[in-house]
Amino acid sequence: MEHARYMRLQRGSAWCGFVLFVGFLAAYSVGNLLSPMDPTMTAKDAVDFLTDNQTGILTAVAIMVLMVPFEYPFVVVTSLQMRRIEGGWGLLSMTQVLTGVVAPIGFFFPLAILSAAAYRPEAHSPDVLLAMTDTFNLMYVGNACIFVLQVWSIGYAALIDRRAKPIFPRWFGWLNIVLGIVLIPGAFVYLNKTGPFAWNGAFAYMLPSAAYFIWKVATPTLLLRAIKHEEAETAGQRAGQEETQLATP
C-alpha cells in the first residue's frame, strides 16, 4: 500500500474515535440513559421506565449497532501508534488491540438485554422486567473492568516512551493509568445496592464516567497528532535516504 493512502487510513481511523463519542452521547441521550437508574427501584419503577422510554431505548440501541463497527479501526490505529514505541508488535500493542476488540461487548450486550425488555414490556411480568433492567445495570457498570488492561497498556506505553518527541504526552499516560484504577470499583456493584459502590454510586459510576469522557476526547485528538508526527518523520527519513542515494557515486 502506498504511504499516502496508509496515512489517510490512519487519520480516518483516528476520527472514528470522535464518531464513537458523538454517537454514544446521542444514543444515551435519546434513551434517557445518561443518568443511572436507582438500584433500589421497584418492579413498578422498572415497568414505568421501560414504558415511558420505550422508543428512546430502542432507538439508542439501533444507534449503538451502527456505531460499534467504528470501534475497531479506532482500536487498531491506537495499537499501530503504540507499535512505534515498542519498535514493532509487542506485548503492550497486542494487549491493547485484543482487549479493545472485546471491549464493545461490555456496553453492547447489556444494551441488547435492555432493548429486549423495552421491546414489548406489556408481554412480560413486572418481576421479569425488573430482573432484565437489573441485568443491564449490573453488566453495564460491573463489566467496566474489561477496559482496565486496555487503558493500562496504553498508559504504560506512553510512560516508557523516551524519544525526543514521544508518541503520546506523559499526562496521557497517567490519564490511562488513573482511568484503569477508577474502573475497578465497578466490580463491587454486585455486592451493593446503595452507597458509592452501587451502580449509580460515585466510585462505581460517577468517577469512571468523568474519566472516560475525558479519555474519549483526548485519545483521538492525540492519535491525530501522533499520525501527523509519523507522517513528518517518514517524510524526513525518505528525504534523507534520497540524499544519501544521490551522494553515493
Side-chain angles (χ1 to χ4, degrees), residues 24-36 205-206 209:
F24 286 11
L25 194 61
Y28 281 83
S29 297
V30 168
N32 194 22
L33 298 172
L34 288 176
S35 298
Y205 184 84
M206 300 301 179
S209 296

Side-chain angles (χ1 to χ4, degrees), residues 6-164:
Y6 174 68
M7 299 311 299
R8 285 197 299 271
L9 284 172
Q10 282 209 67
R11 281 193 293 272
S13 298
W15 274 102
C16 286
F18 292 118
V19 173
L20 287 163
F21 177 75
V22 173
F24 286 11
L25 194 61
Y28 281 83
S29 297
V30 168
N32 194 22
L33 298 172
L34 288 176
S35 298
M37 304 176 204
D38 187 344
T40 62
M41 64 182 174
T42 64
K44 182 180 183 304
D45 293 332
V47 173
D48 290 343
F49 177 80
L50 293 169
T51 303
D52 294 343
N53 298 283
Q54 181 182 35
T55 301
I57 291 171
L58 297 177
T59 302
V61 178
I63 294 172
M64 293 297 287
V65 169
L66 297 173
M67 290 296 106
V68 164
F70 291 95
E71 182 80 19
Y72 300 109
F74 176 63
V75 167
V76 171
V77 75
T78 303
S79 276
L80 286 175
Q81 290 303 314
M82 292 171 63
R83 191 175 68 125
R84 295 172 60 202
I85 298 172
E86 294 184 288
W89 288 107
L91 181 63
L92 298 175
S93 53
M94 288 297 294
T95 297
Q96 195 283 142
V97 77
L98 290 174
T99 52
V101 166
V102 175
I105 295 173
F107 52 80
F108 183 70
F109 277 12
L111 281 170
I113 292 170
L114 188 67
S115 70
Y119 191 67
R120 39 175 159 240
E122 72 284 352
H124 303 289
S125 69
D127 289 342
V128 169
L129 295 177
L130 179 62
M132 294 178 78
T133 54
D134 282 349
T135 303
F136 160 73
N137 286 290
L138 289 170
M139 288 183 66
Y140 177 63
V141 181
N143 290 352
C145 286
I146 291 175
F147 295 93
V148 171
L149 282 182
Q150 180 189 10
V151 295
W152 275 355
S153 63
I154 299 171
Y156 187 65
L159 293 174
I160 65 173
D161 190 356
R162 293 293 183 246
R163 65 182 66 210

Side-chain angles (χ1 to χ4, degrees), residues 172-195:
F172 182 65
W174 287 114
L175 173 63
N176 279 272
I177 299 299
V178 170
L179 176 57
I181 292 171
V182 299
L183 288 174
I184 293 174
F188 299 102
V189 299
Y190 303 100
L191 303 172
N192 295 273
K193 291 186 178 69
T194 59

